[in-house]
Amino acid sequence: MPSSARNRPVQQRSLATIDKILDAATRLLIGSGYAGLTTNRVAAEAEVGIGTVYRYFADKNELLGALRDRASARMTKELIRAIGTSVALEPAAGIRRMFVCLVEALERDRGIIRALASEVPIGLQSNILPEVEAQLAQFCRFFMATHRPDLSDAEIEEYVYLGMALTFSASLRVAIERAPEMDRERLIDHAVGVLTAWLEPPRNRTHTAEPTLGLIE
């Protein structure tokens, strides 16, 4: 997805106008989804002329790109702060803090994330939040290297590769796709339990015998 603003303003008034346009686009995404997002509707919602919208954004995909950039920057700052406090906690508590931070950020930007993940034409939605993913990957590497010194660098990368997929999939389900009857906190606990299990060396895990199929006499 291309970078957002066509003209990169430095004046405070122009920056305020861009924020006004992006806030309007966010409200439309939440209310009407990607299909209901048009530059004309954004201009009307922001109470600016259509020419003002086009001064900064070529089309609605550039608008969505700017919204993604803004959400990603905010989420990245929040994750960096969470990392700073999580590393001193016990593994399960640290992972939970990071996961809750991600879920809350996704909930706040639900309309944008849903459009990026589900409604934008294929080709525009790959690697939805690369900056956020990069921060999470670094956190995962640190935790795996600290708590699983028995693993090789290659094995840590494999865990990170799978862990990132599980983390984003689970956080999206909890934040955006959760059924009304499902308990948010319990889902978070389940997800954290799965992710924390990888930090426990295999020799300390409790194994149960796999069931065998028998013939009914």
Side-chain angles (χ1 to χ4, degrees), residues 128-190:
I128 294 174
L129 297 167
E131 298 84 1
V132 174
E133 291 182 29
Q135 287 296 328
L136 281 175
Q138 289 287 69
F139 176 77
C140 289
R141 288 187 187 95
F142 173 82
F143 251 62
M144 294 305 299
T146 300
H147 298 285
R148 291 294 307 275
D150 58 303
L151 296 177
S152 67
D153 290 345
E155 289 172 320
I156 288 175
E157 286 303 312
E158 290 167 356
Y159 275 109
V160 171
Y161 176 74
L162 294 174
M164 292 299 298
L166 288 172
T167 299
F168 264 93
S169 176
S171 60
L172 283 168
R173 284 179 175 272
V174 173
I176 297 174
E177 301 174 3
R178 182 178 76 253
E181 68 274 12
M182 291 186 174
D183 184 81
R184 177 183 184 272
E185 296 306 308
R186 197 157 52 237
L187 287 175
I188 289 175
D189 288 340
H190 293 332

